[in-house]
Amino acid sequence: MAVKDIILGLSNANGPSGAEGSAARLAMELLSDFTPVVRDALGNVIAEFGNLNSPNHILIDAHIDEIGLVVTDIDNDGFLHVAACGGVDRRVLMGSEVVVMSKSKISGIVCCRPPHLTTAEDTKKVPEFTELAVDIGYPADKARELVTIGTRIAFRSRAASMLGNRVTGKALDNRAGAAAIIRTVELLEPKCSRLDCHVTALLSTREEVGHNAVGCAAFTVAPTQAVAVDVSFASYPGCPEEKCGKLGAGPMIGFSPVLSRAITKKLTATADEKGIKWQYDVCGGTTGTNADDIAVTAGGIPCGLLSIPQRNMHTPVEVVDCDDVENTAQLLAAYIRSGGIC
């Protein structure tokens, strides 16, 4: 399956942290074409293949949840009051279309005061969540009948192809990484190839609210090494170039005290050997990804990190280049075929 089609499909699925069901089910459907797949108690999607008796066990992970909102109250006029579910950027909320994930999906709009009624001072600040409300078009009694406190809310944003090989949509953090994992499994052809190592592909939940599920899955499957796949910053006007990668210039390989130097070295060597373009992603401390948690699970798991450059992170209009996703998958598949750092 073309990597662009995988990305577009996953982006359009809803799955805020703790309510990843729709996105997880789609991922399971895609993975099941290649290997058996299950979900664990926390909703993590897990597929194991290769030589299950091998002492060399490689875990590859990408989180499948997305940022969103959660309903905290319904006022007497029927407006939904909300809190963040993950690192939502309040600057892009006003006027955004959303989907209230009740039994029947309900369209809503984050209320936005007209500029005619906005003071000059108001334009200099970003409203707090306590000042925001979602309008679903119903009076209080009907709203309370259809929506319960604690219901998740996702952005409504249809993924779309851009010029070249780029796509835009919501949740590309980290559905782009999830697409790379699914494409990696496809490249490894579990049903017909004979891998010398044991491989676990993990699409983990709850990353956006504190990496709350990946450690449980990593503890359960007990790999001997791991590579996490996430997104990182891509350059565009106004962003510091030294902190950003470039779209279309290949995966960003992580360098961090948290990460295994041996895995990082093997990833760079494999990329060079296969002629895969790559970029640096240097962190002086932790990485802010699931790699931080995998590395300190149980007695410790050597872990590497591949990141896909992305613009407009944590907005409904994130942008990635499909070539970067494909090259991430190609590098990850080559790393696994080589046995990693065994």
Side-chain angles (χ1 to χ4, degrees):
M1 187 175 184
V3 72
K4 178 182 283 191
D5 293 332
I6 301 174
I7 297 170
L8 294 175
L10 289 173
S11 174
N12 285 330
N14 292 324
S17 301
E20 299 91 349
S22 294
R25 285 190 292 272
L26 175 57
M28 291 182 72
E29 180 181 334
L30 294 170
L31 281 170
S32 65
D33 288 340
F34 316 112
T35 186
V37 57
V38 298
R39 291 188 75 187
D40 68 8
L42 293 182
N44 296 305
V45 176
I46 302 173
E48 294 188 82
F49 56 95
N51 179 3
L52 302 188
N53 296 316
S54 173
N56 182 23
H57 183 179
I58 302 174
L59 169 69
I60 54 175
D61 165 74
H63 74 85
I64 198 165
D65 60 318
E66 64 187 277
I67 60 169
L69 304 170
V70 59
V71 178
T72 60
D73 188 31
I74 302 172
D75 68 24
N76 290 332
D77 292 313
F79 292 102
L80 311 184
H81 294 264
V82 297
C85 183
V88 177
D89 189 341
R90 290 180 286 115
R91 295 174 302 167
V92 301
L93 281 179
M94 292 185 295
S96 293
E97 295 182 73
V98 295
V99 178
V100 182
M101 297 173 62
S102 53
K103 288 184 179 180
S104 58
K105 301 297 185 290
I106 299 172
S107 295
I109 301 291
V110 181
C111 298
C112 183
R113 188 187 308 170
H116 318 71
L117 304 179
T118 302
T119 66
E121 190 63 30
D122 288 336
T123 63
K124 299 177 182 178
K125 63 180 183 179
V126 179
E128 300 291 338
F129 278 102
T130 53
E131 303 173 86
L132 295 172
V134 173
D135 183 2
I136 59 171
Y138 287 117
D141 56 349
K142 186 66 173 179
R144 289 169 179 155
E145 176 186 330
L146 295 175
V147 181
T148 59
I149 305 301
T151 298
R152 300 299 197 281
I153 297 176
F155 290 116
R156 180 186 293 278
S157 176
R158 297 298 298 177
S161 296
M162 302 176 71
L163 293 178
N165 207 24
R166 295 175 182 176
V167 296
T168 181
K170 70 172 181 66
L172 297 182
D173 175 9
N174 185 33
R175 305 283 165 71
I181 295 288
I182 294 168
R183 175 65 175 143
T184 299
V185 175
E186 180 180 20
L187 289 169
L188 293 172
E189 300 179 309
K191 289 184 178 179
C192 57
S193 66
R194 293 188 176 182
L195 291 170
D196 291 333
C197 58
H198 178 179
V199 181
T200 295
L202 169 65
L203 300 177
S204 52
T205 61
R206 295 169 171 81
E207 190 271 353
E208 297 291 0
V209 291
H211 313 171
N212 287 338
V214 68
C216 299
F219 182 89
T220 299
V221 303
T224 55
Q225 58 178 302
V227 179
V229 180
D230 211 316
V231 294
S232 190
F233 310 113
S235 60
Y236 59 94
C239 286
E241 289 192 9
E242 69 277 7
K243 295 183 178 180
C244 300
K246 294 183 178 180
L247 289 181
M252 301 169 70
I253 299 179
F255 291 74
S256 165
V258 171
L259 302 173
S260 162
R261 293 180 65 186
I263 293 180
T264 299
K265 185 176 180 179
K266 182 64 178 285
L267 286 169
T268 60
T270 302
D272 290 340
E273 178 188 343
K274 299 298 182 182
I276 297 172
K277 295 186 296 183
W278 64 276
Q279 309 175 69
Y280 286 93
D281 188 12
V282 181
C283 303
T286 56
T287 68
T289 72
N290 277 345
D292 301 341
D293 298 79
I294 295 170
V296 295
T297 295
I301 300 169
C303 189
L305 175 64
L306 295 176
S307 295
I308 298 162
Q310 181 189 76
R311 290 179 181 160
N312 311 326
M313 190 178 294
H314 283 202
T315 75
V317 286
E318 295 168 338
V319 175
V320 298
D321 192 306
C322 293
D323 288 342
D324 292 331
V325 180
E326 175 67 25
N327 282 326
T328 299
Q330 293 285 347
L331 175 53
L332 199 51
Y335 176 87
I336 292 169
R337 290 192 192 100
S338 74
I341 58 169
C342 67

